[in-house]
Amino acid sequence: MKRILINVALILTISMVWVLTCFFGIVNGWWHAPFTNETDPQSFVEAVEEEIQKEYVGNFAMAIIKNGEVKEEVFYSAGKQVDRNTIFQVASMSKFVSATGVMKLQELGKIDLDTPISQYLTRWQLPPSEFDNEQVTVRRLLSHTAGLTDGLGYSGFETPDAVQTLEASLTKAADADEGKSGETKVGIQPNSSWVYSGGGFTLLQLLVEERSGQSFGAFMKENVFAPLQMTRSTYEWSDSLTDDLCEFYNADGTKAPHFFYTSLAATSLYTSLADLEKLFMLFLKDKKDNSSSPLSQSSLSLMQESHWDMMGEAIYGLGTFLYVDVGNDQYIIGHDGQSNPPINTALRIDPVSGDGIIILETGNPDLATRLASDWVFLKTGKVDTLLFTMLQGKMLNMMGIGVLLITVLVIAIAWWRKRKSN
């Protein structure tokens, strides 16, 4: 019995060492092979162009920014040509842009970030729950810490006429992704955990409309897009945009429909690469010109401060992912977007160096995120928030296979020693 206990303890000890090695190895990128090792913008672009040929892509637009200047742009399309002015739907990258509008509303004195959102709303209220809804504040909605558990995920509607009202969508989104209830409600204690919530940003969309007296799209146009001269950006669909809108594709290469949304702030910004390059410059620490900035530096800095840490690492600010630490409490920031039929968008901004990458694409579910995360890895040697998520499957496989082999090996050695001693 004593020998068995010793062998079990040995298996557990070695397995724990292996599991920790796998975890820290993934976190530090020991076993990650990026799609290229080229860091020069032109060489990186050439590697991207080769990568595009390896898997299906419907449309693709990318910008590489260096020291606050656009150095390279890449365009590809399987059908109608795209360029820097082509309009894309950007899925959840919309949240990053929407957050700038909410911060502008705060600067206009219309809201306070730490006031319960219920005090600002008249058209709709969060349903009663076992938790205190008065702890749901604007700050917590922006940082996904308000305790909402909707997990939305919107699939959109096939025609503009089918789109729900904001109030109806918040009560029960008819276009909720499969497996989601569609109900925006408080399901856990506010400020107890980080839970990504599309419904939270739809609630912020309602907040902007109630406090500004404008439609969400009109407020964003006047207070964010116009100052930045983002002339091809809008949350309000118009048939006049059709000619400039990119085509949508399924992953098998067939044409996909264009979907319409109630959840504009969460998932349905229409914008172009050229316009996002203008937005990119807003977040740089050493901007050459502040005259057109819709936000003060203090608001921009607040968006980039950590409002939730996970395993000791900052992951999210106010409407922005904090991808990796670049020192002195500064982070590569931005947001990704992903929806079906496949849209994948990615934005990475290093506010200190002025370097970054913007990718808009259709027809592939994760190419933009993979390329942008590898850009971060090549620049910093660190695995960013979303790359870590993508590598978790590999990590768990390594852990499982390793523990199995350790168990078999220890048992085999114990059996051999016992046989030899006999």
Side-chain angles (χ1 to χ4, degrees), residues 124 154 165-173 182-184 199 202-203 206:
W124 189 86
Y154 299 93
T165 64
L166 263 174
E167 295 88 342
S169 180
L170 287 164
T171 299
K172 189 173 181 63
E183 299 173 356
T184 300
T202 304
L203 190 53
L206 177 63

Side-chain angles (χ1 to χ4, degrees), residues 1-204:
M1 177 60 71
K2 181 179 179 181
R3 186 173 296 173
I4 292 174
L5 292 176
I6 291 173
N7 288 330
V8 170
L10 185 61
I11 290 171
L12 292 175
T13 300
I14 299 174
S15 294
M16 182 60 68
V17 171
W18 173 248
V19 166
L20 290 173
T21 299
C22 290
F23 176 78
F24 286 108
I26 292 295
V27 168
N28 292 287
W30 295 346
W31 300 297
H32 175 58
F35 77 99
T36 181
N37 291 314
E38 300 292 343
T39 57
D40 171 71
Q42 185 174 356
S43 299
F44 184 87
V45 162
E46 291 172 357
V48 167
E49 290 173 336
E50 292 179 9
E51 197 70 15
I52 290 173
Q53 302 304 318
K54 296 178 182 178
E55 50 193 301
Y56 182 75
V57 178
N59 296 290
F60 187 93
M62 181 182 78
I64 301 292
I65 296 96
K66 186 78 172 175
N67 299 323
E69 296 183 6
V70 178
K71 293 297 185 183
E72 299 285 344
E73 291 181 334
V74 177
F75 305 102
Y76 170 85
S77 178
K80 184 173 75 174
Q81 186 175 354
V82 300
D83 60 29
R84 65 195 312 269
N85 293 311
T86 299
I87 295 172
F88 286 75
Q89 265 184 321
V90 297
S92 284
M93 189 191 287
S94 306
K95 294 181 177 70
F96 179 79
V97 184
S98 299
T100 65
V102 175
M103 296 303 291
K104 181 63 178 181
L105 193 69
Q106 183 264 154
E107 286 195 355
L108 292 172
K110 301 288 187 180
I111 58 171
D112 179 87
L113 295 181
D114 298 309
T115 295
I117 194 169
S118 62
Q119 297 186 21
Y120 295 126
L121 302 179
T122 61
R123 289 163 46 187
W124 189 86
Q125 291 286 350
L126 285 163
S129 74
E130 61 180 292
F131 304 99
D132 183 5
N133 287 359
E134 293 301 289
Q135 293 187 42
V136 177
T137 64
V138 179
R139 186 189 302 272
R140 289 172 180 169
L141 288 169
L142 283 169
S143 59
H144 298 290
T145 60
L148 304 188
T149 53
D150 53 274
L152 293 165
Y154 299 93
S155 299
F157 300 90
E158 293 184 357
T159 66
D161 292 340
V163 171
Q164 287 179 287
T165 64
L166 263 174
E167 295 88 342
S169 180
L170 287 164
T171 299
K172 189 173 181 63
D175 62 334
D177 281 350
E178 186 176 354
K180 305 298 181 182
S181 72
E183 299 173 356
T184 300
K185 61 183 181 180
V186 180
I188 59 173
Q189 178 63 36
N191 205 40
S192 66
S193 184
W194 187 85
V195 180
Y196 191 78
S197 168
F201 268 74
T202 304
L203 190 53
L204 289 169

Side-chain angles (χ1 to χ4, degrees), residues 230-248:
M230 295 173 65
T231 58
R232 302 179 76 79
S233 297
T234 182
Y235 285 92
E236 297 182 337
W237 171 255
S238 166
D239 288 341
S240 63
L241 300 174
T242 301
D243 289 343
D244 296 321
L245 183 68
C246 73
E247 294 176 315
F248 297 86

